[in-house]
Amino acid sequence: MEYVIFDLEWNQPFANDISFMKRTGLPVSGEIIQIGAVKLDAKLELIDTFSMLIKPQYLTRMHKHVEKLTHISAADLSLGVSFGQAYRSFENWCGPKAVLLTWGSDDIVMLRENLRLFGMPSRIKHTWYDAQLIFAHLQHGNTQQVALSKALEELAITKDDLPAHDALNDSIFTGRVCKAIPLAEGIAQYEEIVKHTYSPAYFPEALSFFIYENFTDKRVVLHDSRVRHAHCPLCQTLLTLEKIQRLSGDKFLSLGRCRHHGLLAVHWRIGKYMKRGNVLRYYVTKMLTEAPEKLQTLYAERTEQNRLKEEAYLARLAAQKQKR
């Protein structure tokens, strides 16, 4: 067996700018600018490396924060290759039997987004594991996110003066963490580890995507009929929706049933952006996906959690009234 540990760097839209999503018509949050990876043998010994810069097609202006973090400039990227060329080279380098690992799930989400953005099959062909989850489970008995730098510090692993936030270097660091823990044990327990982990990396891909903008009040967004109504992406039948539940922050989920195609999931995310003249407005994205058991479980858990929160809130209000 060979392990491929990879990391991505990506450029981001400027703050409060939704033109990227509007231009592409896709739920894309960034454009990949570097792929870095290490290949390890069955004993987790380094046998090869991969690094390639990618010339962006959409986000051609480097975000200042990204440039500062990665030390990658627009001039550097002008010498890069296309995303398609880079990814095909990476797949060929991986080989057909490699097992993939990343530190966290964001890289998988970003990779799927970019594959779809550039019209490539977005299903990841290789088996993939989240090394961050495995580390947290083995070291701490939970699934709390741990920064790669913290994991290195905890395991007393040296960085050899390699700068972080370089895709190849971060892959090297992740490989060192994997070698320092009983990785095979974590992989064997992986299905149990991720049972209650609800990253978008484990969700189905979008069947349809919509964006609505120019709301002046965030509180009314989900009351707009265009936003809260959803149609089956296969036959356009109006779905019968369950109550919309808050997942976290400004992310929401509901389940909807089509009389022809069964159960679907509807995802909303509210954000803000600036119109000309620095006028603050709100937007919302709506995405429909299949509704596998994992999403159904998430919806049921959030429904119960939100019910208990509402009951506790009403109890506090009642107690305050009695004191008066």
Side-chain angles (χ1 to χ4, degrees):
M1 178 186 290
E2 291 180 344
Y3 297 98
V4 168
I5 300 173
F6 77 94
D7 183 75
L8 306 173
E9 301 296 341
W10 56 84
N11 198 13
Q12 302 171 2
F14 286 88
N16 303 327
D17 182 6
I18 61 174
S19 60
F20 185 35
M21 284 189 293
K22 289 175 64 177
R23 180 182 175 189
T24 61
L26 294 170
V28 186
S29 51
E31 187 171 4
I32 295 171
I33 56 174
Q34 186 187 21
I35 302 175
V38 296
K39 187 178 290 184
L40 311 179
D41 63 18
K43 295 182 180 180
L44 298 174
E45 296 291 343
L46 179 66
I47 55 177
D48 203 1
T49 64
F50 178 96
S51 182
M52 193 166 284
L53 290 177
I54 298 168
K55 184 177 181 179
Q57 179 177 324
Y58 294 91
L59 300 176
T60 54
R61 290 177 59 202
M62 283 294 291
H63 192 290
K64 291 181 180 179
H65 172 72
V66 175
E67 186 169 359
K68 182 178 180 181
L69 202 64
T70 64
H71 303 290
I72 298 173
S73 68
D76 295 327
L77 295 179
S78 67
L79 303 176
V81 301
S82 69
F83 173 79
Q85 181 180 342
Y87 187 68
R88 284 189 289 270
S89 297
F90 174 64
E91 272 199 324
N92 291 335
W93 176 83
C94 287
K97 297 181 180 179
V99 171
L100 303 185
L101 293 117
T102 61
W103 191 262
S105 60
D106 289 348
D107 294 87
I108 291 293
V109 174
M110 184 60 60
L111 179 56
R112 283 170 49 174
E113 288 182 0
N114 275 245
L115 286 169
R116 189 172 182 187
L117 175 64
F118 289 100
M120 303 171 70
S122 52
R123 184 180 68 83
I124 309 300
K125 296 178 182 178
H126 298 81
T127 301
W128 162 75
Y129 298 103
D130 182 343
Q132 185 185 61
L133 275 183
I134 292 174
F135 171 85
H137 174 76
L138 294 176
Q139 295 296 115
H140 303 290
N142 58 40
T143 56
Q144 298 295 317
Q145 291 185 345
V146 180
L148 181 56
S149 59
K150 292 292 184 183
L152 293 168
E153 182 180 321
E154 183 176 325
L155 297 171
I157 295 173
T158 179
K159 291 185 178 181
D160 293 332
D161 295 325
L162 296 174
H165 302 295
D166 171 90
L168 176 56
N169 293 346
D170 285 350
S171 299
I172 292 171
F173 299 150
T174 303
R176 292 176 180 176
V177 171
C178 288
K179 187 176 180 180
I181 61 176
L183 180 65
E185 179 183 331
I187 287 176
Q189 300 175 36
Y190 196 72
E191 285 191 20
E192 190 64 30
I193 295 173
V194 300
K195 189 170 286 185
H196 296 286
T197 300
Y198 297 116
S199 163
Y202 304 103
F203 293 166
E205 296 181 31
L207 297 172
S208 59
F209 174 76
F210 306 89
I211 182 168
Y212 308 93
E213 56 184 307
N214 207 30
F215 293 94
T216 58
D217 187 344
K218 183 168 69 172
R219 294 169 296 181
V220 306
V221 171
L222 292 180
H223 296 282
D224 187 287
S225 61
R226 300 169 303 158
V227 173
R228 65 182 298 112
H229 290 162
H231 294 79
C232 173
L234 302 175
C235 66
Q236 300 306 311
T237 297
L238 183 66
L239 301 183
T240 302
L241 287 185
E242 300 290 335
K243 184 179 179 181
I244 298 174
Q245 299 293 338
R246 183 190 299 274
L247 292 181
S248 62
D250 290 319
K251 297 178 181 179
F252 302 83
L253 175 69
S254 180
L255 299 178
R257 185 167 295 279
C258 170
R259 63 177 181 267
H260 303 296
H261 297 101
L263 202 62
L264 296 164
V266 188
H267 312 250
W268 293 267
R269 184 175 68 84
I270 299 174
K272 59 185 179 181
Y273 69 104
M274 302 298 291
K275 293 188 68 175
R276 287 184 179 179
N278 289 328
V279 177
L280 178 64
R281 290 290 185 267
Y282 295 93
Y283 72 92
V284 59
T285 59
K286 179 173 67 180
M287 182 174 68
L288 277 77
T289 71
E290 295 176 350
E293 184 179 350
K294 196 172 186 68
L295 270 177
Q296 295 178 48
T297 300
L298 172 61
Y299 180 79
E301 289 180 356
R302 289 299 187 270
T303 298
E304 179 63 11
Q305 290 174 10
N306 292 338
R307 183 186 68 80
L308 294 174
K309 287 179 181 178
E310 184 175 3
E311 287 182 356
Y313 172 70
L314 293 175
R316 289 196 300 271
L317 286 182
Q320 290 173 1
K321 287 183 179 179
Q322 288 182 350
K323 288 180 181 180
R324 293 174 188 170

Coordinates of all heavy atoms in Angstrom, one line a residue, residues 217-290:
D217 N -32.4 43.1 5.4 CA -32.5 42.6 6.8 C -32.3 41.1 6.8 O -33.1 40.3 6.1 CB -33.9 42.9 7.3 CG -34.0 42.6 8.8 OD1 -33.2 41.8 9.3 OD2 -35.0 43.1 9.4
K218 N -31.3 40.6 7.5 CA -31.0 39.2 7.5 C -32.2 38.3 8.0 O -32.4 37.2 7.6 CB -29.7 38.9 8.3 CG -29.3 37.5 8.3 CD -27.9 37.3 8.8 CE -27.8 37.6 10.3 NZ -26.5 37.3 10.9
R219 N -32.9 38.9 8.9 CA -34.0 38.2 9.6 C -35.1 37.8 8.7 O -35.9 36.9 9.0 CB -34.5 39.0 10.8 CG -33.5 39.2 11.9 CD -34.0 40.2 12.9 NE -34.2 41.6 12.3 CZ -34.6 42.6 13.0 NH1 -34.9 42.6 14.3 NH2 -34.7 43.8 12.3
V220 N -35.3 38.5 7.5 CA -36.4 38.2 6.7 C -36.0 37.2 5.5 O -36.9 36.8 4.7 CB -37.0 39.5 6.1 CG1 -37.3 40.4 7.2 CG2 -36.0 40.1 5.1
V221 N -34.7 36.9 5.4 CA -34.2 36.2 4.2 C -35.0 34.9 4.1 O -35.5 34.5 3.0 CB -32.7 35.9 4.4 CG1 -32.3 35.0 3.3 CG2 -32.0 37.2 4.3
L222 N -35.1 34.0 5.1 CA -35.7 32.7 5.0 C -37.2 32.8 4.9 O -37.8 31.7 4.8 CB -35.2 31.8 6.1 CG -33.7 31.4 6.1 CD1 -33.4 30.5 7.3 CD2 -33.4 30.7 4.8
H223 N -37.8 34.0 5.1 CA -39.2 34.1 4.9 C -39.6 34.4 3.5 O -40.8 34.4 3.2 CB -39.8 35.2 5.9 CG -39.5 34.8 7.3 ND1 -40.4 33.9 8.0 CD2 -38.6 35.2 8.2 CE1 -39.9 33.8 9.3 NE2 -38.9 34.6 9.4
D224 N -38.7 34.7 2.7 CA -38.9 35.0 1.3 C -39.4 33.8 0.6 O -38.7 32.7 0.7 CB -37.7 35.6 0.6 CG -37.9 36.1 -0.8 OD1 -38.1 35.2 -1.7 OD2 -37.9 37.3 -1.0
S225 N -40.5 33.8 -0.2 CA -41.1 32.6 -0.8 C -40.1 32.0 -1.8 O -40.1 30.8 -2.0 CB -42.4 33.0 -1.4 OG -42.3 33.9 -2.5
R226 N -39.4 32.8 -2.5 CA -38.4 32.3 -3.5 C -37.3 31.5 -2.8 O -36.8 30.5 -3.4 CB -37.7 33.4 -4.3 CG -38.6 34.3 -5.1 CD -37.8 35.5 -5.6 NE -37.2 36.2 -4.4 CZ -36.2 37.0 -4.5 NH1 -35.6 37.2 -5.7 NH2 -35.7 37.7 -3.5
V227 N -36.9 31.9 -1.6 CA -35.8 31.3 -0.9 C -36.3 30.0 -0.2 O -35.6 29.0 -0.3 CB -35.3 32.3 0.2 CG1 -34.2 31.6 1.0 CG2 -34.7 33.5 -0.5
R228 N -37.4 30.0 0.4 CA -37.8 28.9 1.3 C -38.5 27.8 0.5 O -38.6 26.7 0.9 CB -38.7 29.3 2.4 CG -40.1 29.9 2.1 CD -40.8 30.4 3.4 NE -41.1 29.3 4.3 CZ -40.5 29.1 5.5 NH1 -39.6 30.0 5.9 NH2 -40.8 28.1 6.2
H229 N -39.1 28.1 -0.7 CA -39.7 27.1 -1.5 C -38.6 26.4 -2.3 O -37.7 27.0 -2.8 CB -40.8 27.7 -2.5 CG -42.0 28.1 -1.7 ND1 -42.9 29.0 -2.3 CD2 -42.4 27.8 -0.5 CE1 -43.9 29.2 -1.4 NE2 -43.6 28.5 -0.3
A230 N -38.8 25.1 -2.6 CA -37.8 24.4 -3.3 C -38.5 23.4 -4.2 O -39.5 22.8 -3.9 CB -36.8 23.6 -2.4
H231 N -37.9 23.2 -5.4 CA -38.4 22.3 -6.4 C -37.5 21.2 -6.7 O -36.3 21.4 -6.6 CB -38.7 23.1 -7.7 CG -39.8 24.1 -7.6 ND1 -39.6 25.3 -7.0 CD2 -41.1 24.1 -7.9 CE1 -40.7 26.0 -7.1 NE2 -41.7 25.3 -7.6
C232 N -38.0 20.0 -7.0 CA -37.2 18.9 -7.3 C -36.3 19.2 -8.5 O -36.8 19.6 -9.6 CB -38.0 17.7 -7.6 SG -37.1 16.2 -8.2
P233 N -35.0 19.0 -8.5 CA -34.2 19.4 -9.6 C -34.3 18.4 -10.8 O -33.9 18.7 -11.9 CB -32.7 19.3 -9.1 CG -32.9 18.4 -7.9 CD -34.2 18.6 -7.3
L234 N -35.0 17.3 -10.6 CA -35.2 16.3 -11.6 C -36.5 16.5 -12.4 O -36.6 16.2 -13.6 CB -35.2 14.9 -11.0 CG -33.9 14.5 -10.3 CD1 -34.0 13.2 -9.6 CD2 -32.7 14.6 -11.2
C235 N -37.6 17.0 -11.7 CA -38.9 17.1 -12.4 C -39.5 18.4 -12.1 O -40.6 18.7 -12.6 CB -39.8 15.9 -12.0 SG -40.3 16.0 -10.3
Q236 N -38.9 19.3 -11.3 CA -39.4 20.6 -11.0 C -40.7 20.6 -10.1 O -41.4 21.6 -10.0 CB -39.6 21.5 -12.2 CG -38.4 21.7 -13.0 CD -37.2 22.2 -12.2 OE1 -37.4 23.2 -11.5 NE2 -36.1 21.6 -12.3
T237 N -41.1 19.5 -9.5 CA -42.2 19.4 -8.6 C -41.9 20.1 -7.4 O -40.8 20.0 -6.8 CB -42.6 17.9 -8.3 OG1 -43.0 17.3 -9.5 CG2 -43.7 17.8 -7.3
L238 N -42.9 20.9 -6.8 CA -42.7 21.6 -5.6 C -42.5 20.6 -4.5 O -43.3 19.7 -4.3 CB -43.8 22.6 -5.3 CG -43.7 23.4 -4.0 CD1 -42.6 24.4 -4.1 CD2 -45.1 24.1 -3.8
L239 N -41.4 20.7 -3.7 CA -41.2 19.8 -2.6 C -42.1 20.2 -1.4 O -42.3 21.3 -1.1 CB -39.7 19.8 -2.2 CG -38.7 19.5 -3.2 CD1 -37.3 19.6 -2.6 CD2 -38.9 18.2 -3.9
T240 N -42.4 19.1 -0.6 CA -43.1 19.3 0.7 C -42.0 19.3 1.7 O -41.3 18.3 2.0 CB -44.0 18.1 0.9 OG1 -45.0 18.1 -0.1 CG2 -44.7 18.4 2.3
L241 N -41.7 20.5 2.3 CA -40.6 20.7 3.2 C -40.9 20.5 4.6 O -42.0 20.9 5.1 CB -40.0 22.1 3.0 CG -39.2 22.4 1.7 CD1 -38.6 23.8 1.8 CD2 -38.1 21.4 1.5
E242 N -39.9 19.9 5.3 CA -40.0 19.9 6.8 C -39.6 21.3 7.3 O -39.1 22.1 6.5 CB -39.0 18.8 7.3 CG -39.3 17.4 6.9 CD -40.6 16.9 7.5 OE1 -41.0 17.3 8.6 OE2 -41.2 16.0 6.9
K243 N -39.7 21.5 8.6 CA -39.4 22.8 9.2 C -37.9 23.0 9.0 O -37.1 22.1 9.1 CB -39.7 22.8 10.7 CG -39.4 24.1 11.4 CD -39.8 24.1 12.8 CE -39.5 25.4 13.5 NZ -39.8 25.4 15.0
I244 N -37.5 24.3 8.6 CA -36.1 24.6 8.4 C -35.4 24.7 9.8 O -35.9 25.3 10.7 CB -36.0 26.0 7.7 CG1 -36.6 25.9 6.3 CG2 -34.5 26.4 7.5 CD1 -36.7 27.2 5.5
Q245 N -34.3 24.0 9.8 CA -33.5 23.9 11.1 C -32.2 24.6 10.9 O -31.5 24.4 9.9 CB -33.3 22.5 11.5 CG -34.6 21.7 11.8 CD -35.3 22.2 13.0 OE1 -34.8 22.9 13.9 NE2 -36.6 21.9 13.0
R246 N -31.8 25.3 12.0 CA -30.4 25.9 12.0 C -29.4 24.9 12.3 O -29.5 24.1 13.2 CB -30.3 27.0 13.0 CG -29.0 27.8 13.0 CD -28.9 28.7 14.2 NE -29.9 29.7 14.2 CZ -29.8 30.9 13.6 NH1 -28.7 31.2 12.9 NH2 -30.8 31.7 13.6
L247 N -28.4 24.8 11.4 CA -27.3 23.9 11.7 C -26.2 24.5 12.6 O -25.9 24.0 13.7 CB -26.6 23.5 10.4 CG -27.4 22.6 9.4 CD1 -26.5 22.3 8.2 CD2 -27.8 21.3 10.1
S248 N -25.7 25.7 12.2 CA -24.8 26.5 13.0 C -24.7 27.8 12.3 O -24.7 27.9 11.1 CB -23.4 25.8 13.1 OG -22.9 25.7 11.8
G249 N -24.5 28.9 13.1 CA -24.3 30.2 12.5 C -25.5 30.5 11.6 O -26.6 30.5 11.9
D250 N -25.1 30.8 10.3 CA -26.1 31.2 9.3 C -26.3 30.0 8.3 O -26.6 30.3 7.1 CB -25.7 32.5 8.6 CG -25.8 33.7 9.5 OD1 -26.8 33.7 10.2 OD2 -24.9 34.5 9.5
K251 N -26.1 28.8 8.7 CA -26.3 27.6 7.9 C -27.6 26.9 8.3 O -27.8 26.7 9.5 CB -25.1 26.7 7.9 CG -23.8 27.3 7.4 CD -22.7 26.3 7.5 CE -21.4 27.0 7.0 NZ -20.2 26.1 7.1
F252 N -28.4 26.5 7.3 CA -29.7 25.9 7.7 C -29.9 24.7 6.8 O -29.3 24.6 5.7 CB -30.8 26.9 7.4 CG -30.7 28.2 8.3 CD1 -29.8 29.2 7.8 CD2 -31.3 28.3 9.5 CE1 -29.7 30.4 8.6 CE2 -31.2 29.5 10.2 CZ -30.4 30.5 9.8
L253 N -30.8 23.8 7.2 CA -31.1 22.6 6.5 C -32.6 22.2 6.7 O -33.2 22.4 7.7 CB -30.2 21.4 7.1 CG -30.5 20.0 6.5 CD1 -30.0 19.9 5.1 CD2 -29.7 19.0 7.4
S254 N -33.1 21.6 5.6 CA -34.4 21.0 5.7 C -34.4 19.8 4.8 O -33.6 19.6 3.9 CB -35.5 22.0 5.2 OG -36.8 21.4 5.3
L255 N -35.4 18.9 5.0 CA -35.6 17.8 4.1 C -36.9 18.0 3.4 O -37.9 18.5 3.9 CB -35.7 16.5 4.9 CG -34.5 16.1 5.7 CD1 -34.7 14.8 6.5 CD2 -33.3 16.0 4.8
G256 N -36.9 17.7 2.1 CA -38.1 17.9 1.2 C -38.4 16.6 0.5 O -37.5 15.9 0.1
R257 N -39.7 16.4 0.3 CA -40.1 15.2 -0.4 C -40.8 15.5 -1.8 O -41.7 16.4 -1.8 CB -41.1 14.3 0.4 CG -41.4 13.0 -0.2 CD -42.1 12.1 0.8 NE -41.2 11.7 1.9 CZ -40.3 10.8 1.8 NH1 -40.1 10.1 0.7 NH2 -39.6 10.5 2.9
C258 N -40.3 14.8 -2.8 CA -40.9 14.9 -4.1 C -41.7 13.7 -4.3 O -41.2 12.6 -4.0 CB -39.8 15.0 -5.2 SG -40.4 14.8 -6.9
R259 N -42.9 13.8 -4.8 CA -43.8 12.7 -4.9 C -43.3 11.7 -6.0 O -43.8 10.5 -6.1 CB -45.3 13.1 -5.2 CG -45.5 13.8 -6.5 CD -47.0 14.1 -6.7 NE -47.2 14.8 -7.9 CZ -47.3 16.2 -8.0 NH1 -47.1 16.9 -7.0 NH2 -47.5 16.7 -9.2
H260 N -42.4 12.1 -6.8 CA -41.9 11.3 -7.9 C -40.5 10.7 -7.5 O -40.2 9.6 -7.9 CB -41.8 12.1 -9.2 CG -43.1 12.6 -9.6 ND1 -44.2 11.9 -10.0 CD2 -43.5 13.9 -9.8 CE1 -45.2 12.7 -10.3 NE2 -44.8 13.9 -10.2
H261 N -39.6 11.5 -6.9 CA -38.3 11.1 -6.7 C -37.8 11.0 -5.2 O -36.6 10.9 -4.9 CB -37.3 12.1 -7.4 CG -37.6 12.2 -8.9 ND1 -38.3 13.2 -9.5 CD2 -37.2 11.3 -9.9 CE1 -38.3 12.9 -10.8 NE2 -37.6 11.8 -11.0
G262 N -38.8 11.1 -4.3 CA -38.5 10.8 -2.9 C -37.8 12.0 -2.2 O -38.0 13.1 -2.5
L263 N -37.0 11.6 -1.2 CA -36.5 12.6 -0.2 C -35.3 13.3 -0.8 O -34.4 12.7 -1.3 CB -36.1 11.9 1.1 CG -36.0 12.7 2.3 CD1 -37.4 13.4 2.7 CD2 -35.6 11.9 3.5
L264 N -35.2 14.6 -0.6 CA -34.1 15.4 -0.9 C -33.7 16.3 0.2 O -34.5 16.5 1.1 CB -34.4 16.3 -2.2 CG -34.7 15.5 -3.5 CD1 -35.3 16.4 -4.5 CD2 -33.4 15.0 -4.1
A265 N -32.5 16.9 0.2 CA -32.1 17.8 1.2 C -31.9 19.2 0.6 O -31.5 19.3 -0.5 CB -30.7 17.4 1.9
V266 N -32.3 20.2 1.4 CA -32.2 21.6 1.0 C -31.3 22.3 2.0 O -31.5 22.3 3.2 CB -33.5 22.3 0.9 CG1 -33.4 23.7 0.2 CG2 -34.6 21.4 0.1
H267 N -30.2 22.9 1.5 CA -29.2 23.6 2.3 C -29.3 25.1 2.0 O -29.3 25.5 0.8 CB -27.8 23.1 2.0 CG -27.7 21.6 2.0 ND1 -27.0 20.9 2.9 CD2 -28.1 20.7 1.0 CE1 -27.0 19.6 2.6 NE2 -27.7 19.5 1.5
W268 N -29.3 25.9 3.1 CA -29.2 27.4 2.9 C -28.0 27.9 3.6 O -27.6 27.4 4.7 CB -30.4 28.1 3.4 CG -31.7 27.8 2.7 CD1 -32.3 28.6 1.7 CD2 -32.7 26.8 3.0 NE1 -33.5 28.0 1.4 CE2 -33.8 26.9 2.1 CE3 -32.7 25.7 3.9 CZ2 -34.9 26.1 2.1 CZ3 -33.8 24.9 3.9 CH2 -34.8 25.0 3.1
R269 N -27.4 29.0 3.1 CA -26.3 29.7 3.8 C -26.5 31.2 3.6 O -26.6 31.6 2.4 CB -25.0 29.3 3.4 CG -23.8 29.9 4.2 CD -22.5 29.4 3.8 NE -22.1 29.7 2.5 CZ -21.5 30.9 2.1 NH1 -21.3 31.8 3.0 NH2 -21.2 31.1 0.9
I270 N -26.6 32.0 4.6 CA -26.8 33.4 4.5 C -25.5 34.1 4.7 O -24.7 33.7 5.6 CB -27.8 33.9 5.6 CG1 -29.2 33.3 5.4 CG2 -27.9 35.4 5.5 CD1 -30.2 33.6 6.5
G271 N -25.2 35.1 3.9 CA -24.0 35.9 4.0 C -24.2 37.3 3.7 O -25.4 37.7 3.4
K272 N -23.2 38.1 3.8 CA -23.3 39.6 3.5 C -22.4 40.0 2.4 O -21.3 39.3 2.2 CB -23.1 40.4 4.8 CG -21.8 40.2 5.4 CD -21.7 41.0 6.7 CE -20.4 40.8 7.4 NZ -20.3 41.6 8.7
Y273 N -22.7 41.0 1.7 CA -21.8 41.6 0.7 C -22.0 43.1 0.6 O -23.0 43.6 1.2 CB -22.1 40.9 -0.6 CG -23.4 41.3 -1.3 CD1 -23.5 42.1 -2.3 CD2 -24.6 40.7 -0.8 CE1 -24.7 42.5 -2.9 CE2 -25.8 41.1 -1.3 CZ -25.9 41.9 -2.4 OH -27.1 42.3 -3.0
M274 N -21.1 43.7 -0.1 CA -21.2 45.2 -0.3 C -21.6 45.5 -1.7 O -20.9 45.1 -2.6 CB -19.8 45.8 0.1 CG -19.3 45.5 1.5 SD -20.4 46.1 2.8 CE -20.1 47.9 2.6
K275 N -22.6 46.3 -1.8 CA -23.0 46.9 -3.1 C -22.2 48.1 -3.4 O -21.4 48.6 -2.5 CB -24.5 47.2 -3.2 CG -25.4 45.9 -3.1 CD -26.8 46.3 -3.3 CE -27.0 46.7 -4.8 NZ -28.5 47.0 -5.1
R276 N -22.3 48.6 -4.6 CA -21.6 49.9 -4.9 C -22.0 51.0 -3.9 O -23.2 51.1 -3.5 CB -21.9 50.4 -6.3 CG -21.3 49.5 -7.4 CD -21.6 50.1 -8.8 NE -20.9 49.3 -9.8 CZ -21.1 49.5 -11.1 NH1 -21.8 50.6 -11.5 NH2 -20.4 48.8 -12.0
G277 N -21.0 51.8 -3.5 CA -21.3 52.8 -2.5 C -21.2 52.3 -1.1 O -21.6 52.9 -0.2
N278 N -20.5 51.1 -0.9 CA -20.4 50.5 0.4 C -21.7 50.3 1.1 O -21.8 50.6 2.3 CB -19.4 51.3 1.2 CG -18.0 51.2 0.8 OD1 -17.6 50.2 0.2 ND2 -17.2 52.3 0.9
V279 N -22.7 49.9 0.4 CA -24.0 49.6 0.9 C -24.1 48.1 1.3 O -23.9 47.2 0.5 CB -25.2 49.9 -0.1 CG1 -26.5 49.5 0.5 CG2 -25.1 51.4 -0.5
L280 N -24.3 47.8 2.6 CA -24.4 46.5 3.1 C -25.7 45.8 2.7 O -26.8 46.3 3.0 CB -24.2 46.4 4.6 CG -24.3 45.1 5.3 CD1 -23.1 44.2 4.8 CD2 -24.3 45.2 6.8
R281 N -25.6 44.6 2.1 CA -26.8 43.8 1.8 C -26.5 42.4 2.2 O -25.3 41.9 2.4 CB -27.1 43.9 0.3 CG -27.6 45.2 -0.1 CD -29.0 45.5 0.5 NE -29.6 46.7 0.0 CZ -29.6 47.9 0.6 NH1 -28.9 48.0 1.7 NH2 -30.2 48.9 0.1
Y282 N -27.5 41.5 2.2 CA -27.4 40.1 2.5 C -27.8 39.3 1.3 O -28.7 39.7 0.5 CB -28.3 39.8 3.7 CG -27.9 40.5 5.0 CD1 -28.4 41.7 5.4 CD2 -26.9 39.9 5.8 CE1 -28.0 42.3 6.5 CE2 -26.5 40.6 7.0 CZ -27.0 41.8 7.3 OH -26.6 42.4 8.5
Y283 N -27.2 38.1 1.2 CA -27.6 37.2 0.2 C -27.8 35.8 0.8 O -27.4 35.6 2.0 CB -26.5 37.1 -0.9 CG -25.2 36.4 -0.4 CD1 -25.0 35.0 -0.6 CD2 -24.2 37.1 0.2 CE1 -23.9 34.4 -0.2 CE2 -23.0 36.4 0.6 CZ -22.9 35.1 0.4 OH -21.8 34.4 0.9
V284 N -28.4 34.9 0.1 CA -28.5 33.5 0.6 C -28.3 32.6 -0.6 O -28.8 32.9 -1.7 CB -29.9 33.3 1.2 CG1 -31.0 33.6 0.3 CG2 -30.0 31.9 1.8
T285 N -27.6 31.5 -0.3 CA -27.5 30.5 -1.3 C -28.4 29.3 -0.9 O -28.6 29.0 0.3 CB -26.1 29.9 -1.4 OG1 -25.6 29.4 -0.2 CG2 -25.1 31.0 -1.9
K286 N -29.0 28.7 -1.9 CA -29.8 27.5 -1.7 C -29.3 26.4 -2.6 O -29.2 26.5 -3.8 CB -31.3 27.8 -2.1 CG -32.3 26.7 -1.9 CD -33.7 27.1 -2.1 CE -34.0 27.5 -3.5 NZ -35.4 27.9 -3.7
M287 N -29.1 25.2 -2.0 CA -28.5 24.1 -2.7 C -29.3 22.8 -2.4 O -29.7 22.6 -1.2 CB -27.1 23.9 -2.3 CG -26.3 22.8 -3.0 SD -24.6 22.7 -2.6 CE -24.6 22.2 -0.9
L288 N -29.7 22.1 -3.4 CA -30.4 20.8 -3.2 C -29.5 19.7 -3.5 O -28.7 19.7 -4.5 CB -31.6 20.8 -4.2 CG -32.9 21.5 -3.7 CD1 -32.7 23.0 -3.8 CD2 -34.1 21.0 -4.3
T289 N -29.5 18.7 -2.6 CA -28.7 17.5 -2.8 C -29.6 16.2 -2.5 O -30.8 16.4 -2.1 CB -27.5 17.4 -1.8 OG1 -28.0 17.2 -0.5 CG2 -26.7 18.7 -1.8
E290 N -29.1 15.1 -2.7 CA -29.7 13.9 -2.3 C -29.7 13.9 -0.7 O -29.0 14.7 -0.1 CB -28.9 12.6 -2.8 CG -29.0 12.5 -4.3 CD -28.2 11.3 -4.8 OE1 -27.4 10.7 -3.9 OE2 -28.3 11.0 -5.9

